[in-house]
Amino acid sequence: MFTFDRIAQDGRARAGIFHTPHGDIPTPIFAPVGTQATVKSLTPAQLHELGASLVLSNTYHLYLRPGADLVEEMGGVHEFMQWPNPMLTDSGGFQVFSLSDMRKIDEDGVTFKSHIDGSTHRFTPEKAIAIEEQLGADIIMAFDECAPPLDRAYNERALARTHAWAERCKKAQKRSDQALFGIVQGGIFADLREQSAQFISSLDFPGHAIGGLSVGESKEDMNQMIEVVDAVLPENKPRYLMGVGSPEDQVNGIRRGIDIFDCVLPTRLARHGSAMTRTGRINLMNATNAHDKRPIDETCNCYACQHFTRAYIRHLIIAKEMLASTLISIHNIATLLNLVRDARTAIQAGAYDQFADEFLANYNKLQ
Amino acid sequence: MFTFDRIAQDGRARAGIFHTPHGDIPTPIFAPVGTQATVKSLTPAQLHELGASLVLSNTYHLYLRPGADLVEEMGGVHEFMQWPNPMLTDSGGFQVFSLSDMRKIDEDGVTFKSHIDGSTHRFTPEKAIAIEEQLGADIIMAFDECAPPLDRAYNERALARTHAWAERCKKAQKRSDQALFGIVQGGIFADLREQSAQFISSLDFPGHAIGGLSVGESKEDMNQMIEVVDAVLPENKPRYLMGVGSPEDQVNGIRRGIDIFDCVLPTRLARHGSAMTRTGRINLMNATNAHDKRPIDETCNCYACQHFTRAYIRHLIIAKEMLASTLISIHNIATLLNLVRDARTAIQAGAYDQFADEFLANYNKLQ
């Protein structure tokens, strides 16, 4: 059911198809994030029109509100939010560990307080998998610990837990129609990353993720860690770089063998009036856009760019109109989806390095 | 250019087509309101999918932000907001008079302070028409004074001004591709309303509006005033009941000869989690909807009702997700547009009274 067909390889970059019960995912792919079972400010119809494939939702958020029982009762997260295509849920680990002074870790799991009402809850590997099975996404993630990337001693302890928890997650899984991905951790320490990739690979998950990156370390460290892990993970299974999704990170990640990305950036930046393009970010609030009849990006084929001027979108931002978020989100997600589509085409043509070099040379040029 | 074809009459109710440079408006019609050149939380594509025809925008708001000069520079309000179908702008009078202690009226016009930054501005009949010509809607409204409905002495003075200003608006109009509608005022006083309808009719506008209703008077008073005015206004021109648009007001208005309605209610209620149906309003926040797998309205054909459960929409409201406003706005506008479409069909079938009686008998029934 969860086979991964590699259809082209160019250097370390790969083009493939990951088959899921809710359809095929062409890789490399960018997954928009629907934290609370909605990709903020967009309808599923708008996401579909963008050509989105995989959509991510967050276990921590859905567990707290509206509750995994309710989502299950409503037929699972696909049916609940009306996204008929592939979905992925994280394990809640990243959110829980981000609560810092509102959580307590032990070898068995984590006790934490809700950011909504302060109520106390507990996640263990078994509990996280049970919730993800209630939610019913196609790809579910093991419960791991995301440690501060630069703290060696902490990463060693956390990695032992993450590995023990990965085994417990695998044993806890009951549903066979969900692909459980293992997660490689290890901060910015090459030996820990290598050790983690070897251990996680040995558990024979149908796919692998790299966690704990893009959380404060340098771009060089991130790219090096991806390379270390890429050299160890089996080629015949998809690799998912969790929480990473800026255009340059995608281009660099694909070059290092990554197949799947997700990130809240396109919708979060949209809510702050910031547009993502292949040459860099544009602050649409800027007065230079006040009389600008051009679309956000003249090279973009999205609904926002095919219809609306920068002047109009700037007006919407200043007037605090919701449509601003919707239009910029459409554009930003289109930018990332078009980027992975073009990367895939370049890989198939054996021209990925040239594509990546040209992209990076143009990126961050002045608008 | 602005001919009004009456295609059916049933009692006082009429079905027609009003021809404009941006297309035909089938009447009776409900116009969604795009105050700041956007119908809140919807894209034009979503409005189009709803079958919307006429869309209203507010002169006062566009004049202050982004400014009529900018809208004109961008090609007018149709082009600016990308609504290619018919549009209407009010004159700004209603908003200016609503500013109460921030405005001062004289015989020549009104001086007022911006609700945005407190800056001082002045509207006269000539200025209002000049702005509406810059905005470029198909239907533009005369600058009138909306008086407190129950104050006889005030209404007498205000009516004299409104009539003088109507003549000045007509003289001020330069563009021939916009239909300038005159506005009948007179509070809840039948003789003033009759006098106003006679005077405004005598100026030979291509259409007429009834202003100053649904502003605090009783439903009985409103319906009586519509009847008084309906008996005077010429049959061969469209009648627009300004700012009125609840389902029951539309059904009652159509019965009394009204062709055009507009109202912020569907989008405003949506932002408060309230859905409009043919049997009454539903507060979707209500806990009774928490596990409800039904759509908002099982009889509705809109995108929201064809896809999403009440349980999901309630979750979106509680989680403060923008999609809640979008989905409920889609549904509420669909309710009002389906209502006027069905009313039109009933008029054409000579069965409007039965349609209206049945509607009113079912309205406000428990959900």
Side-chain angles (χ1 to χ4, degrees):
Chain A
M1 189 182 280
F2 292 101
T3 52
F4 180 53
D5 296 332
R6 285 171 295 155
I7 60 174
Q9 176 118 13
D10 184 17
R12 300 302 305 155
R14 310 117 60 84
I17 299 170
F18 189 59
H19 301 278
T20 84
H22 288 86
D24 292 346
I25 305 170
T27 63
I29 190 70
F30 168 74
V33 177
T35 297
Q36 303 191 108
T38 163
V39 177
K40 288 188 193 300
S41 86
L42 300 184
T43 64
Q46 287 167 329
L47 270 183
H48 181 76
E49 192 183 323
L50 282 165
S53 168
L54 182 66
V55 168
L56 181 148
S57 195
N58 290 111
T59 288
Y60 166 80
H61 288 91
L62 295 183
Y63 161 79
L64 289 179
R65 188 171 59 193
D69 289 347
L70 181 72
V71 175
E72 182 180 34
E73 180 188 336
M74 291 294 138
V77 66
H78 290 92
E79 183 70 19
F80 186 54
M81 70 180 279
Q82 289 285 296
W83 183 248
N85 301 316
M87 289 199 69
L88 181 154
T89 49
D90 62 3
S91 67
F94 180 79
Q95 272 80 20
V96 166
F97 293 105
S98 304
L99 293 171
S100 54
D101 57 339
M102 287 171 73
R103 49 90 176 147
K104 195 163 173 297
I105 304 164
D106 57 62
E107 294 309 306
D108 183 54
V110 188
T111 302
F112 61 94
K113 289 192 173 172
S114 159
H115 75 286
I116 299 170
D117 62 6
S119 55
T120 301
H121 302 265
R122 184 166 171 80
F123 275 3
T124 61
E126 292 75 17
K127 176 75 178 173
I129 296 301
I131 297 169
E132 292 194 85
E133 293 195 331
Q134 285 188 286
L135 299 176
D138 302 279
I139 301 173
I140 63 175
M141 303 304 300
F143 188 64
D144 64 330
E145 180 169 358
C146 183
L150 311 183
D151 183 338
R152 168 104 201 172
Y154 192 113
N155 269 279
E156 287 180 1
R157 292 196 305 275
L159 198 57
R161 272 193 291 267
T162 287
H163 290 175
W165 291 356
E167 290 188 286
R168 285 168 58 187
C169 284
K170 206 163 155 55
K171 282 191 194 117
Q173 189 183 12
K174 294 194 185 79
R175 285 178 65 161
S176 60
D177 60 344
Q178 296 180 296
L180 172 61
F181 279 27
I183 304 177
V184 173
Q185 288 284 356
I188 57 155
F189 307 101
D191 60 326
L192 296 185
R193 286 282 176 185
E194 190 175 354
Q195 176 196 326
S196 184
Q198 278 163 351
F199 181 83
I200 295 294
S201 297
S202 76
L203 298 181
D204 197 27
F205 290 107
H208 300 104
I210 308 177
L213 289 179
S214 198
V215 292
E217 81 289 356
S218 70
K219 294 277 188 197
E220 292 70 28
D221 281 338
M222 176 166 82
N223 287 330
Q224 196 209 331
M225 293 305 107
I226 298 170
E227 286 171 18
V228 166
V229 172
D230 169 67
V232 177
L233 292 178
E235 302 268 342
N236 63 343
K237 292 174 179 176
R239 295 109 178 247
Y240 163 32
L241 183 57
M242 299 185 77
V244 175
S246 72
E248 69 275 27
D249 289 346
Q250 291 200 154
V251 167
N252 284 318
I254 291 167
R255 207 202 283 262
R256 291 166 176 84
I258 300 297
D259 306 299
I260 301 172
F261 302 86
D262 84 274
C263 195
V264 296
L265 210 56
T267 46
R268 180 171 293 167
L269 287 176
R271 295 197 298 284
H272 293 93
S274 182
M276 305 170 88
T277 79
R278 291 214 186 172
T279 48
R281 290 186 198 164
I282 302 171
N283 181 353
L284 291 166
M285 270 274 267
N286 198 306
T288 56
N289 296 305
H291 297 261
D292 198 330
K293 290 184 180 177
R294 291 178 301 164
I296 297 172
D297 180 350
E298 282 170 312
T299 70
C300 182
N301 62 356
C302 81
Y303 173 71
C305 289
Q306 291 303 305
H307 286 275
F308 304 94
T309 60
R310 293 186 184 192
Y312 178 65
I313 296 173
R314 180 175 184 271
H315 160 65
L316 294 177
I317 296 168
I318 291 172
K320 299 193 184 353
E321 285 285 355
M322 281 189 269
L323 185 59
S325 293
T326 301
L327 294 179
I328 308 171
S329 292
I330 285 173
H331 169 75
N332 287 352
I333 291 175
T335 296
L336 296 181
L337 287 173
N338 287 336
L339 183 60
V340 293
R341 263 193 292 263
D342 289 352
R344 194 171 196 265
T345 303
I347 295 165
Q348 290 181 278
Y352 186 74
D353 269 339
Q354 189 190 338
F355 171 83
D357 289 344
E358 281 179 14
F359 172 85
L360 294 170
N362 285 315
Y363 197 69
N364 278 331
K365 282 202 173 166
L366 285 178
Q367 297 305 307
Chain B
M1 189 182 281
F2 292 102
T3 52
F4 179 54
D5 296 331
R6 285 172 293 154
I7 61 175
Q9 177 119 12
D10 183 19
R12 301 302 305 156
R14 309 120 58 86
I17 299 169
F18 188 59
H19 302 278
T20 85
H22 288 85
D24 292 346
I25 304 169
T27 63
I29 190 69
F30 168 74
V33 177
T35 298
Q36 303 192 106
T38 164
V39 176
K40 287 187 193 301
S41 86
L42 300 184
T43 64
Q46 287 167 330
L47 267 184
H48 182 74
E49 192 183 324
L50 281 164
S53 168
L54 182 66
V55 168
L56 181 147
S57 195
N58 291 112
T59 287
Y60 166 80
H61 289 90
L62 295 183
Y63 161 79
L64 288 179
R65 187 171 61 192
D69 289 348
L70 181 71
V71 175
E72 182 179 33
E73 182 189 334
M74 291 293 138
V77 66
H78 290 93
E79 184 70 17
F80 187 54
M81 70 180 280
Q82 289 286 295
W83 184 247
N85 301 316
M87 289 198 69
L88 181 153
T89 48
D90 63 3
S91 67
F94 181 78
Q95 271 81 19
V96 166
F97 291 106
S98 303
L99 293 171
S100 53
D101 57 340
M102 289 171 71
R103 47 92 175 145
K104 193 162 176 295
I105 305 163
D106 57 61
E107 293 310 306
D108 182 54
V110 188
T111 302
F112 61 95
K113 289 192 174 174
S114 158
H115 74 285
I116 299 171
D117 63 6
S119 56
T120 301
H121 302 265
R122 182 166 171 81
F123 276 3
T124 61
E126 292 75 17
K127 176 76 178 171
I129 295 300
I131 297 169
E132 291 193 85
E133 293 195 332
Q134 286 187 285
L135 300 177
D138 303 279
I139 300 173
I140 63 176
M141 303 304 301
F143 189 64
D144 63 331
E145 180 170 358
C146 183
L150 311 183
D151 183 336
R152 168 103 201 173
Y154 192 113
N155 269 281
E156 287 179 3
R157 291 196 305 275
L159 198 58
R161 272 193 290 266
T162 288
H163 290 176
W165 290 355
E167 289 189 287
R168 285 167 58 186
C169 284
K170 205 162 158 54
K171 279 190 197 123
Q173 189 183 13
K174 293 193 185 80
R175 285 178 65 160
S176 61
D177 59 345
Q178 296 179 296
L180 171 61
F181 280 25
I183 304 177
V184 173
Q185 289 284 357
I188 57 156
F189 306 101
D191 60 326
L192 296 186
R193 286 283 175 183
E194 189 175 354
Q195 176 196 326
S196 184
Q198 276 163 352
F199 181 83
I200 295 295
S201 298
S202 75
L203 298 182
D204 197 27
F205 290 107
H208 301 104
I210 307 177
L213 290 178
S214 199
V215 292
E217 80 290 356
S218 70
K219 294 277 187 194
E220 292 69 28
D221 280 338
M222 177 166 81
N223 286 331
Q224 195 209 332
M225 291 306 108
I226 298 170
E227 287 171 18
V228 166
V229 172
D230 168 69
V232 177
L233 292 178
E235 303 268 341
N236 62 342
K237 292 174 180 177
R239 293 111 180 244
Y240 164 32
L241 183 56
M242 299 184 78
V244 175
S246 72
E248 70 275 28
D249 288 346
Q250 290 199 156
V251 168
N252 284 318
I254 291 167
R255 207 200 285 260
R256 290 167 177 82
I258 300 297
D259 305 299
I260 301 172
F261 302 85
D262 85 274
C263 195
V264 296
L265 211 54
T267 46
R268 180 171 292 168
L269 287 175
R271 293 196 300 284
H272 293 93
S274 183
M276 305 170 89
T277 79
R278 290 215 187 171
T279 48
R281 289 186 199 165
I282 301 171
N283 181 352
L284 291 166
M285 270 274 268
N286 198 306
T288 56
N289 296 306
H291 296 261
D292 199 331
K293 290 185 179 176
R294 291 178 302 164
I296 298 171
D297 181 348
E298 283 170 311
T299 69
C300 182
N301 61 355
C302 81
Y303 173 71
C305 289
Q306 291 303 304
H307 286 274
F308 303 95
T309 60
R310 292 186 185 193
Y312 179 65
I313 296 172
R314 180 174 184 271
H315 160 64
L316 295 176
I317 297 168
I318 291 172
K320 299 193 182 354
E321 285 285 356
M322 279 188 270
L323 186 58
S325 293
T326 302
L327 294 180
I328 308 172
S329 292
I330 285 173
H331 168 74
N332 286 351
I333 290 174
T335 296
L336 297 181
L337 287 174
N338 287 336
L339 183 60
V340 292
R341 263 192 291 265
D342 290 351
R344 194 171 196 265
T345 303
I347 294 165
Q348 290 180 279
Y352 186 74
D353 270 337
Q354 188 190 338
F355 170 84
D357 290 344
E358 281 179 13
F359 172 87
L360 294 170
N362 285 315
Y363 197 68
N364 277 330
K365 281 201 173 169
L366 284 179
Q367 297 304 305

